Amino acid sequence: MALAGASLLPEFAAAASTARKTSAGEFPPGFLWGAATAAYQVEGAYNEDGKGESVWDRFVLAPGKITNGDTGKVACDSYHRYQDDIALLRTLNLKSYRYSIAWTRIQPRGAGPVYSYGLRAKCDFEASIRQAIGRSSS
C-alpha cells in the first residue's frame, strides 16, 4: 500500500507499508493524530497585508455559485488568530498538521516577484506549528 506523502515522513513509511492486523478502535504503531485546514476556508483577511485576489475570491462572488453567498472574507479569521489555533494543536497533543497556503499572499499578482512580507509571515507560521507539534525544521 502506498500512502501519499510517505516520502515526507520516512520514519512512518515503513510502519504504514507493513501489514498488521488491528482490532476495532486500535491504531497501528506510528499512527499520528492530526488536523488539516485549507487556506481559503480558514484564513480570512482576504484583502490585508498585500494579499492578491485568488480564483476563490472571485468565484464566490458569482451569483448562484455558493449557497447563501458565503465567502472567505473573514472565514475563521485564522490569519489574525493563528496563535489560538496553534494553542489548540498543543492542547489536543496533535503531532501532525496539514495546511495549505494562499499563494496570493506570497505572489499577489500570480506572477513576478515574491512578496517578502507574505513569505516571512508563512515561514513564521510554519515555525510556530513545527514547535507546537514537536517537529524540528529541516
Side-chain angles (χ1 to χ4, degrees):
M1 165 182 19
L3 296 176
S7 63
L8 301 176
L9 299 170
E11 65 271 27
F12 301 109
S17 63
T18 304
R20 179 174 147 354
K21 197 170 206 168
T22 58
S23 302
E26 181 182 69
F27 295 91
F31 182 86
L32 296 177
W33 284 102
T37 59
Y40 186 78
Q41 295 171 341
V42 299
E43 275 187 6
Y46 81 104
N47 65 349
E48 292 184 38
D49 295 332
K51 179 187 173 291
E53 183 181 57
S54 73
V55 172
W56 277 107
D57 290 326
R58 175 140 332 162
F59 179 79
V60 300
L61 298 177
K65 296 291 185 182
I66 303 295
T67 303
N68 301 323
D70 294 336
T71 72
K73 288 183 178 182
V74 176
C76 300
D77 199 25
S78 187
Y79 185 79
H80 296 111
R81 301 178 53 139
Y82 77 93
Q83 292 294 348
D84 296 334
D85 297 340
I86 291 171
L88 286 172
L89 294 175
R90 281 191 190 104
T91 299
L92 295 170
N93 197 29
L94 298 180
K95 300 298 179 194
S96 177
Y97 178 55
R98 196 247 2 126
Y99 63 96
S100 67
I101 61 172
W103 280 103
T104 51
R105 292 198 188 280
I106 296 171
Q107 207 170 28
R109 292 188 183 104
V114 167
Y115 182 50
S116 60
Y117 179 84
L119 184 59
R120 172 58 26 212
K122 288 302 177 185
C123 289
D124 292 346
F125 174 70
E126 182 171 331
S128 296
I129 290 169
R130 286 180 174 276
Q131 181 182 25
I133 65 174
R135 300 249 177 145
S136 61
S137 295
S138 46

